[in-house]
Amino acid sequence: MSDTDVPILQLNNVESSYGPVKAIRGVSLSVKAGSIVTVLGSNGAGKSTILKTISGIIDPRKGSVLYRGQAIQKLDPARIVKLGIVQVPEGREIFPFLTVNENLLMGAYTRPAADKAALANDLEMVFNYFPILRERARQPAGQLSGGQQQMLAISRALLAKPSIILLDEPSLGLSPKLTREIFEIIVRINREHGVTLLVVEQNAMVALKYSDYGYVLEVGRIVMEDACAALLEKEDIKEFYLGMKDSGVRGTRRWKKKKNWR
Amino acid sequence: MQFLQLVISGIAQGCIYGLIALGFVLIYKATETVNFAQGDLMMLGGFFGLSCMVVLGMPFWVAFLATLAVAMLFGMLMERALLRPLLGQPAFTVVMLTIGIGYLARGMVTMIPGWGTETHTLPVPYKDEVLRVVIGSGDPLILSTEHMVIIAVTAFLIAILFLFFRYTKLGIAMQATSQNQLAAFYMGIPVRRINMLVWGISAAVSACAGLLLAPITFVHVNMGYIGLKAFPAAVVGGFGSIPGALVGGLIIGIVESLAGFYLPEGFKDIAAYILVLVMLVILPNGLFGDKMRKKV
Ligand SMILES: Nc1ncnc2c1ncn2[C@@H]1O[C@H](COP(=O)(O)OP(=O)(O)OP(=O)(O)O)[C@@H](O)[C@H]1O
Ligand SMILES: [Mg+2]
């Protein structure tokens, strides 16, 4: 098997819980290096839990997480960042009283100090993606708008020089226009720097449009997977995630059926 | 002159309160717990420095630096061995633990025969010296060297801490961790090691306060009760603000010093608490509580 055939990230039957609450129940998924993969699911489906498990914030009960074929599910978060997996968490989670610049510097925390020139280069790169951050570089990050904070969170992650970025609902609280802009930059980052992306979303329309491959998560289980173009054609996806119902009667029946799966 | 002299000795006393308050605040911001053993760490620092000088015969400045280093290690060890296993427990449990550590520290020191139960003088080289400063044609200002050393060393220490938190990667990471611990984990910042270091710095700052105070109040097992005055200092400054802790300490020191001279007997000891009550009514968040909230 050649190097490119090994998925950069693979989850095998991963089960994670919060105390007695099982949040994901046997999730398997695989991310090809250089691709953009999305996981769709509604509130409480377990999307964030998947990403937290990959990042080592919570340890899975069962199953394994493989990074380039190597098991990482027992490593601590700092080790996982060093390996090249970094997360842009749900709700941005910036450092509000540090300046924009200091926030970016914290993104590069795991990089060796000798990396100064490369770091300056990367700062220039994120400022080119998001020019507003250059203007606000010396302001406390808490004074940025929600959209600007999302840009900062993505930039901060980029400064870790990751091979794969985990994005938790980047569209949260953003206007449709800004959401599209952010996704367009995500695609550019992917194309221009070969960074792999695993994007978790509720906004299926946008996520499917910009990603290569998609999984659908319901109550902690993967119920569907396919190339995004194919998923966009599926009836269930159209109905439940894109809000395009054909007929009222059928829609209600399907909805009931969906309820029964729980 | 009288007034100025009182203010200066108040500032010196206030520096001590401020340093201990700083110790409280550092730990509070990093781990959201209040370390009630802060004053006892100061007492241990005093005894350790005393032992270095009297038993081991070290010169004062060597003993001073040795005490800071050992206190730092001690603080880190305390975090690693006693506090980290309690991670995730309610704050109350942790507070009870720190109170317990305080009792333990005092108990252990008392058990050292002929040492822990006595009151000792720290033989500092600048003991009992005074500086006379002549201003204009009036009486000269008489300043005790002990007070001047306290003020100078505190200013130096604060400057170092300021530069550390403001300009070093590690210092900024400490701020980051105290502002958003989860995000720090996501960035690969070693949060637990950082918290351990915060306990170390906090213990070293307290020990430093102990050594500075020792020439004035002597070294004895209960010298840590001065920590009870550092609490009002932290509250006046707005619990959780580093500049606030220092300013709060200075205010309490000055008020106490003036109250001791101008007000009837007894007011000196309660002045700090009256100030806190007034403060809580007028400015519930303290002087720096609002703007500076959550800044290491
Ligand atoms: N800290 C927690 N403690 C207990 N249960 C939790 C915790 N976090 C999440 N859960 C539960 O785990 C399940 C999955 O949560 P998760 O946060 O992964 O959902 P999500 O798909 O990210 O939802 P959203 O779109 O609302 O962010 C939910 O049932 C939730 O109630
Ligand atoms: Mg979520």
Side-chain angles (χ1 to χ4, degrees):
Chain A
M1 209 160 41
S2 84
D3 234 23
T4 47
D5 292 338
V6 183
I8 188 163
L9 188 68
Q10 198 171 7
L11 271 65
N12 297 320
N13 263 310
V14 172
E15 249 187 64
S16 292
S17 37
Y18 301 95
V21 187
K22 260 192 200 169
I24 50 174
R25 313 147 182 253
V27 166
S28 300
L29 56 82
S30 155
V31 179
K32 237 178 74 182
S35 66
I36 304 181
V37 173
T38 185
V39 176
L40 304 174
S42 45
N43 291 110
K47 304 182 297 296
S48 297
T49 307
I50 292 180
L51 296 194
K52 281 182 194 160
T53 308
I54 298 172
S55 278
I57 302 288
I58 50 181
D59 286 339
R61 278 273 166 85
K62 285 187 192 149
S64 58
V65 180
L66 305 180
Y67 174 68
R68 299 189 201 274
Q70 173 200 352
I72 59 164
Q73 69 270 15
K74 296 233 165 60
L75 301 183
D76 66 40
R79 281 288 299 142
I80 291 172
V81 174
K82 271 195 198 129
L83 283 175
I85 305 176
V86 63
Q87 178 166 172
V88 179
E90 188 175 347
R92 295 74 148 126
E93 304 282 353
I94 49 133
F95 303 112
F97 299 96
L98 296 186
T99 64
V100 168
N101 252 343
E102 289 168 337
N103 266 271
L104 294 171
L105 179 68
M106 288 299 105
Y109 187 85
T110 53
R111 286 168 67 166
D115 231 10
K116 267 215 164 84
L119 192 64
N121 234 353
D122 290 349
L123 263 178
E124 197 52 34
M125 167 190 81
V126 301
F127 285 151
N128 283 335
Y129 283 129
F130 303 108
I132 185 77
L133 296 182
R134 192 199 303 272
E135 279 169 44
R136 302 293 176 89
R138 293 177 176 282
Q139 256 182 38
Q143 290 176 8
L144 298 179
S145 75
Q148 291 161 354
Q149 289 186 11
Q150 185 65 63
M151 297 175 193
L152 175 59
I154 293 173
S155 304
R156 188 178 61 175
L158 268 175
L159 278 172
K161 238 185 170 19
S163 309
I164 175 166
I165 299 181
L166 314 173
L167 274 163
D168 198 340
E169 295 201 42
S171 76
L172 194 74
L174 304 189
S175 72
K177 178 165 172 286
L178 192 55
T179 303
R180 276 195 307 278
E181 283 172 20
I182 294 264
F183 266 90
E184 269 154 24
I185 288 180
I186 289 171
V187 172
R188 273 181 63 199
I189 292 169
N190 170 258
R191 302 285 184 268
E192 292 167 12
H193 298 276
V195 178
T196 308
L197 288 137
L198 178 58
V199 187
V200 144
E201 260 299 347
Q202 290 204 45
N203 188 339
M205 188 65 114
V206 177
L208 289 175
K209 184 173 162 207
Y210 290 101
S211 310
D212 305 315
Y213 200 83
Y215 291 87
V216 177
L217 186 70
E218 271 177 20
V219 219
R221 285 196 177 85
I222 301 280
V223 294
M224 205 185 290
E225 67 172 284
D226 212 330
C228 288
L231 282 178
L232 273 167
E233 294 307 312
K234 294 214 165 132
E235 287 302 320
D236 311 47
I237 299 277
K238 280 187 185 168
E239 279 178 30
F240 303 131
Y241 292 98
L242 305 180
M244 297 186 282
K245 289 184 186 167
D246 338 337
S247 75
V249 179
R250 192 166 161 256
T252 320
R253 208 182 62 231
R254 295 289 304 254
W255 177 243
K256 275 189 180 151
K257 191 173 156 208
K258 182 187 169 194
K259 280 246 170 189
N260 288 341
W261 293 346
R262 291 182 187 245
Chain B
M1 280 310 123
Q2 183 82 65
F3 181 76
L4 202 55
Q5 235 156 270
L6 285 170
V7 168
I8 290 174
S9 81
I11 289 177
Q13 188 68 29
C15 282
I16 303 290
Y17 297 150
L19 285 179
I20 305 172
L22 181 71
F24 278 129
V25 169
L26 280 172
I27 288 178
Y28 176 72
K29 289 177 72 63
T31 61
E32 312 247 305
T33 53
V34 176
N35 176 23
F36 280 90
Q38 205 73 37
D40 300 295
L41 289 175
M42 179 186 122
M43 180 270 293
L44 290 179
F47 268 98
F48 188 85
L50 179 75
S51 310
C52 282
M53 288 185 76
V54 175
V55 181
L56 303 177
M58 289 184 195
F60 175 65
W61 294 107
V62 177
F64 190 89
L65 294 177
T67 303
L68 293 199
V70 169
M72 178 139 185
L73 285 178
F74 186 78
M76 288 166 70
L77 191 73
M78 203 165 120
E79 192 278 344
R80 184 67 194 84
L82 300 175
L83 288 132
R84 201 177 302 177
L86 288 189
L87 218 65
Q89 300 292 328
F92 179 72
T93 315
V94 182
V95 166
M96 290 312 288
L97 177 72
T98 65
I99 292 176
I101 292 172
Y103 270 104
L104 203 67
R106 290 195 295 277
M108 301 277 258
V109 168
T110 317
M111 277 192 274
I112 306 172
W115 196 235
T117 47
E118 303 293 312
T119 295
H120 306 269
T121 312
L122 191 67
V124 295
Y126 52 86
K127 180 104 188 106
D128 292 332
E129 283 176 28
V130 292
L131 292 171
R132 276 169 216 280
V133 183
V134 183
I135 305 171
S137 56
D139 299 335
L141 194 60
I142 299 174
L143 304 171
S144 93
T145 322
E146 284 119 357
H147 286 164
M148 295 289 103
V149 169
I150 291 177
I151 295 171
V153 173
T154 303
F156 182 72
L157 190 65
I158 296 308
I160 300 257
L161 284 176
F162 175 80
L163 294 175
F164 171 70
F165 280 121
R166 189 69 191 278
Y167 295 109
T168 68
K169 183 171 162 185
L170 188 60
I172 297 172
M174 279 187 183
Q175 290 191 58
T177 306
S178 85
Q179 287 171 25
N180 190 338
Q181 183 158 318
L182 183 63
F185 270 118
Y186 279 124
M187 292 305 108
I189 295 173
V191 172
R192 300 204 172 85
R193 242 183 297 156
I194 292 253
N195 284 345
M196 185 163 89
L197 203 55
V198 168
W199 275 83
I201 293 176
S202 172
V205 168
S206 290
C208 178
L211 290 179
L212 291 174
L213 185 66
I216 300 180
T217 63
F218 307 107
V219 177
H220 57 95
V221 71
N222 286 330
M223 73 189 283
Y225 282 126
I226 200 174
L228 294 179
K229 292 264 180 58
F231 253 116
V235 172
V236 167
F239 218 102
S241 153
I242 284 186
L246 292 164
V247 174
L250 292 181
I251 290 177
I252 291 206
I254 294 170
V255 165
E256 233 183 40
S257 165
L258 295 178
F261 188 78
Y262 293 110
L263 295 181
E265 179 91 31
F267 267 98
K268 184 171 194 265
D269 291 326
I270 57 169
Y273 301 99
I274 293 178
L275 194 68
V276 166
L277 288 179
V278 173
M279 195 71 199
L280 286 179
V281 173
I282 306 173
L283 263 181
N285 287 328
L287 285 175
F288 292 78
D290 237 354
K291 285 195 305 261
M292 309 280 234
R293 192 167 36 100
K294 279 266 169 195
K295 193 165 183 191
V296 159

